[in-house]
Amino acid sequence: MKVNKTETNVTEKMCKKCGKVLASTTKYRYCDNCRRGRAKTRREALATAGALGIAILSVVPVVKHLVNKK
Amino acid sequence: MSLILCPECGTKISNKATLCPHCGYMGENPSLPISIQDKYEVIPTFEYDIEEWNPTREQYNLMAVEDNRTLVQFFGKWQNVQLRLPAIAKVIESMAKKENILVAKMDSYVKSLIEKGIYRFTIDKQGEILPTIRDAEGIVKQVRLKEMTLTPELANSLSNLQTHAVMAQILDEIEYVGDAIRGIHIELQNDRIALAESTKDKLLLTSRIQDTRLREIALLNVVNSATEAKRVLMRNFSENLNFIVENSQKNDVQLLFEGKKGKDIPQKVSDAFQALISITNSVQIECEGYALLGEYEASKQSLMQFRAFIVDNKLDNRDTLLRLNENTSLKKLQVVDEFMTISNRIIKFDTNRQLSCHNFMMISEEKHNESK
């Protein structure tokens, strides 16, 4: 975790991505804004993967059927 | 008759007056007018140096479009319009009743989406239906439209294309209303900030009034405006802060399924920081106003109210402000540090100490120096 030493020599937690100073009680290494951004990316990736999965699952039986027919 | 300024209080009085009606001042010889026997000086113009705390303000962000989408989806469902807005539903049906109607061939899935209000037909500027179906993003499907003469069975059918076309027009209007609501939100926030900022201008204008009595009345109005602005902003700030605190520090899974609340947070953080700055400035003007009126107890009371606000919202704890800062893409560490300096001074303020105009003004100067 990045730390920043201020003039009063108190170590501050900082966001690993954007370098924003975090609250001392925070449990995370990233700020809420960065974490929210990351969650959005994950959500989009999940949706894409889901759509792809559904597309594949719906195509496979058709392909199997065609192969068996031959 | 001309007017002179009373040598004692500065009120405008007649040059023939032997007694000031405001402060009761009389010259050495009570039978002679004050203007003859007293050499008086025009009261000096007050030079107030009210420093406004004005950290860099960012551009306002628009609200999330989710509210608008929900509204469109709800009223896009014909059953909802019939149930919730029966009068409007009747009007739509009567508008859609024509002898010649258009029908389109489409599968049941598209039809169900049209009924739900997710898909709708495109309408040109003359109100004619175009053979394209679209959703909020754009065109999704082309269909073939066919003209038919109306039969009683078709007239009663809700799948009447014309009905859906009118619905589509109404949905466009609802989307516009959604945009207008977002505009109103921004205007409301601007109004609150403008109310606070106007008090500073009022105080500066008041300082130019030479008549003491009028100046006192104007100062009271300034103080009232500052109190009103402060209270409105405090309430708004507390609501935003509660919302942000409730929705921060969520774990990754919660963030993944957060929904629209997460989209509102950056706007609320921006509003909260603006409100905090304006509250501080309003309190300063309120205190200055009371101090200039010589009402130091009221000044103290104002500071005590500000202290209660800081304590209630835990703003004396740097973590609260850092938590706010964490939820925005903009780095507002300067605002956090400056407010911490101010809040520390307010918390340490001793209510029992004698507050004179001089040491009160020193508080403002300290604020000014540190903000620099």
Side-chain angles (χ1 to χ4, degrees), chain B residues 285-302:
Chain B
I285 285 165
E286 194 183 29
C287 291
E288 298 275 6
Y290 279 125
L292 290 168
L293 286 167
E295 298 293 336
Y296 300 118
E297 280 307 312
S299 280
K300 274 186 197 174
Q301 195 59 37
S302 168

Side-chain angles (χ1 to χ4, degrees), chain A residues 4 6 12 18-28 30-44 46, chain B residues 244 247-252 255-259 262-263 265-266 318-320 322-323 325-333:
Chain A
N4 177 35
T6 58
E12 285 178 332
C18 66
K20 210 179 280 173
V21 180
L22 304 179
S24 62
T25 51
T26 191
K27 297 180 282 183
Y28 305 102
Y30 295 90
C31 69
D32 272 2
N33 191 53
C34 292
R35 289 176 60 235
R36 209 163 264 125
R38 204 169 50 168
K40 193 186 168 196
T41 316
R42 282 177 183 171
R43 204 161 36 228
E44 284 166 0
L46 253 166
Chain B
I244 294 158
N247 288 289
S248 63
Q249 290 295 292
K250 287 182 173 175
N251 63 36
D252 288 354
L255 281 179
L256 204 61
F257 302 105
E258 192 176 40
K263 288 184 180 171
I265 285 181
R318 192 165 181 254
D319 282 350
T320 311
L322 285 176
R323 183 83 70 222
N325 189 38
E326 259 188 57
N327 282 284
T328 174
S329 55
L330 309 161
K331 291 181 183 175
K332 300 212 177 224
L333 195 62

Side-chain angles (χ1 to χ4, degrees), chain B residues 59-71:
Chain B
Q59 289 291 315
Y60 299 114
N61 298 323
L62 279 173
M63 274 170 66
V65 293
E66 290 296 325
D67 290 339
N68 191 24
R69 198 166 291 167
T70 313
L71 204 65

Side-chain angles (χ1 to χ4, degrees), chain B residues 51 364-372:
Chain B
E51 278 302 320
S364 316
E365 283 171 21
E366 279 169 35
K367 263 187 195 174
H368 170 56
N369 292 339
E370 279 171 39
S371 69
K372 277 183 176 176

